[in-house]
């Protein structure tokens, strides 16, 4: 009678060690990414308002372009971890190389699009006459680093699939430091202004990509994996990424609709919305770290043919998601009096944000489970279902959000709609997880 509970406790402790070992470094790497933009903003901000405005517009465009291709990391993690679980490291790294080659091809395509269309893209974002030239300059130079950014995404997916989240953390920290130093030297030392900031970021990104490639190539040579581009493998990587691309675009559409609705509510509402959205994004990093651990762990169990191990790991990660969500929710409530004054002194904005922050706090346990199950299904390679579920969520959220101003609701009502969106995601993901249809064992799905 006592052996079963003892085995259960041992299994939980094993899962806990795996989750912590993968999630903590992943969280550090995720937090390091937005620090690039923050460092650029701090340095360029001293050049003038027009330069900072130009940087803001160009950064928004670049962030959107790169985030669309985040599937390079997610799909690669799932494919590589499956092969690791199956004990085929050569095939795992070969699959990773296919993802890297796909990243280079997509990066070249983005450059070909962005360079000639940069002025039109900046104009589309409504840049002023004074800020537009700086935005175009930064965008065109930084676009040269997009292939490196995408290689970083794909290579990160390779290492996560190999159950290594420490190397991405170290590379992210080194990249942040290099970016900050290069920005100072090129912007002020060399007198290049905003162009120096762009070049500093490009050089730092290329350096990060070079380190990743060195790590992956070394692993490929150790295990005898080919480094040559394989058309069939690249096509398979692209096909695996398409559903995740649909999922990502649907999620970004939801965020854009929410921002557009907030703008219609009034100046205080849109200002408060931006503050809350920045906090929501920060909270997402903590929850996404558990999801990343889920991708790597679930893929490995399924690749090893251990369906029960995958179920047990999923159950334990859900418990982690709930626990972390509760902690984050409490922190949001307790930090409201300190958090809001950091962003605004306007009492109207504070009064608008306070009740909406309560909604955000209450929704964090829901968000925790959503992120975990999202990671579990990604690790299982269940992209088509994730795409369909997100399209359904978009269809439910859109009318709910658009009805907020029509019915006289405010920002709190809008964030209630956001919570409805996360609840819808929870329902669709929970139904899929409970069905067991995501459990497909073997080196490939």
């Amino acid at each position: 009678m006592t052996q079963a509970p003892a085995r259960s406790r041992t299994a939980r402790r094993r899962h806990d060690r795996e989750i912590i070992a993968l999630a903590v470094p992943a969280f550090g790497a995720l937090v390091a990414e937005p620090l690039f933009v923050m460092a650029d903003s701090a340095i360029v901000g001293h050049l003038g308002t027009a330069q900072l405005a130009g940087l803001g517009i160009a950064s928004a465009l670049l962030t959107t372009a790169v985030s669309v291709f985040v599937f390079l990391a997610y799909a690669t993690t799932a494919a590589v971890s499956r092969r690791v679980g199956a004990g085929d490291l050569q095939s795992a790294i070969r699959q990773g190389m296919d993802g890297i080659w796909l990243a280079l091809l997509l990066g070249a395509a983005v450059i070909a699009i962005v360079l000639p269309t940069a002025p039109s893209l900046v104009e589309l974002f409504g840049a002023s006459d004074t800020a537009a030239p700086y935005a175009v300059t930064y965008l065109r130079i930084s676009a040269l680093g997009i292939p490196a950014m995408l290689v970083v995404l794909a290579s990160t997916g390779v290492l996560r699939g190999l159950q290594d989240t420490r190397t991405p953390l170290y590379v992210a920290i080194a990249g942040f430091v290099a970016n900050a130093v290069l920005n100072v030297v090129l912007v002020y030392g060399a007198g290049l202004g905003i162009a120096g900031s762009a070049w500093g970021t490009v050089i730092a990104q290329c350096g990060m990509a070079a380190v990743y490639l060195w790590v992956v190539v070394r692993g490929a040579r150790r295990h005898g994996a080919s480094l040559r581009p394989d058309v069939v493998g690249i096509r398979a990587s692209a096909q695996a990424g398409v559903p995740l691309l649909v999922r990502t675009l649907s999620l970004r559409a939801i965020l854009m609709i929410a921002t557009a609705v907030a703008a219609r509510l009034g100046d205080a509402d849109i200002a408060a919305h931006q503050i809350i959205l920045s906090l929501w994004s920060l909270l997402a990093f903590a929850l996404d770290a558990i999801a990343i651990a889920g991708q790597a762990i679930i893929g490995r169990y399924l690749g090893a043919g251990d369906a029960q191990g995958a179920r047990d790991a999923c159950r334990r990660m859900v418990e982690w998601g709930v626990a972390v969500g509760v902690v984050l929710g409490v922190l949001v409530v307790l930090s409201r009096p300190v958090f809001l004054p950091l962003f605004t002194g306007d009492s109207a904005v504070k009064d608008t944000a306070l009740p909406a922050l309560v909604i955000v706090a209450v929704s964090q346990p829901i968000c925790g489970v959503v992120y975990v199950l999202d990671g579990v299904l990604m690790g299982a390679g269940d992209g088509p279902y994730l795409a369909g579920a997100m399209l359904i969520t978009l269809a439910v959220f859109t009318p709910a959000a658009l009805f907020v101003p029509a019915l006289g609701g405010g920002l709190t009502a809008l964030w209630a709609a956001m919570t409805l969106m996360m609840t819808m995601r929870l329902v669709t993901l929970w139904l899929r997880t409970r069905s067991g249809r995501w459990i497909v064992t073997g080196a490939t799905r």
Side-chain angles (χ1 to χ4, degrees), residues 22-326:
L22 291 170
V24 173
F27 174 71
L30 289 170
V31 171
E33 292 174 8
L35 292 179
F36 269 77
V37 177
M38 291 179 63
D40 289 359
S41 299
I43 294 168
V44 171
H46 292 286
L47 294 175
T49 302
Q51 288 90 332
L52 183 59
L55 171 66
I57 293 168
S59 294
L61 286 164
L62 287 166
T63 300
T64 300
V66 174
S67 65
V68 164
F69 298 112
V70 72
F71 70 82
L72 289 166
Y74 294 159
T76 304
T77 297
V80 171
S81 61
R82 271 185 176 271
R83 288 161 175 79
V84 168
D88 190 354
L89 289 177
Q90 182 185 73
S91 178
I93 297 177
R94 173 64 261 181
Q95 182 69 35
M97 285 303 306
D98 291 335
I100 291 172
W101 280 111
L102 176 61
L104 288 170
L105 292 173
L106 290 173
V110 173
I111 289 179
I113 294 171
V114 171
L115 288 182
T117 62
S120 299
L121 291 172
V122 168
E123 183 180 356
L124 185 64
F125 265 60
S128 66
D129 292 339
T130 54
Y134 296 112
V136 171
T137 296
Y138 191 93
L139 181 59
R140 278 181 166 160
I141 296 173
S142 294
L144 300 177
I146 286 179
M149 296 181 197
L150 299 189
V151 166
V152 167
L153 282 177
S155 301
T156 300
V158 176
L159 295 181
R160 288 173 182 170
L162 294 172
Q163 317 296 296
D164 175 11
T165 56
R166 291 183 178 272
T167 299
L169 172 61
Y170 300 147
V171 175
I173 293 173
F176 167 72
V177 173
N179 177 66
V181 172
L182 286 167
N183 267 256
V184 171
V185 171
L186 296 175
V187 171
Y188 297 111
L192 297 179
I194 195 170
S197 177
W199 280 117
T201 300
V202 169
I203 295 170
Q205 291 285 358
C206 289
M208 292 171 65
V211 172
Y212 274 121
L213 288 174
W214 176 75
V215 172
V216 174
V217 168
R218 186 180 62 175
R221 288 175 174 169
R222 183 186 306 124
H223 297 287
S226 173
L227 300 175
R228 296 178 179 178
D230 177 62
V231 175
V232 175
I234 294 172
R235 186 186 300 118
S237 295
Q239 289 172 344
V242 169
L244 296 180
L245 175 61
V246 173
R247 169 199 166 275
T248 300
L249 291 174
S250 300
L251 181 57
R252 292 203 68 84
I254 287 171
L255 297 178
M256 289 175 64
I257 290 169
T259 300
V261 170
R264 293 176 60 187
L265 297 176
D267 290 345
D269 293 88
I270 185 61
H273 176 74
Q274 289 303 113
I275 294 171
I276 295 172
L277 193 60
S278 66
L279 174 63
W280 198 66
S281 299
L282 178 62
L283 298 174
F285 285 134
L287 299 174
D288 203 24
I290 305 174
I292 288 170
Q295 294 171 30
I297 293 170
I298 293 299
R300 192 189 74 231
Y301 273 115
L302 293 178
D306 188 354
Q308 188 57 48
R311 289 190 186 93
D312 292 343
C314 174
R315 187 178 303 110
R316 189 55 179 163
M317 280 183 284
V318 167
E319 293 171 356
W320 268 81
V322 172
V324 173
V326 170

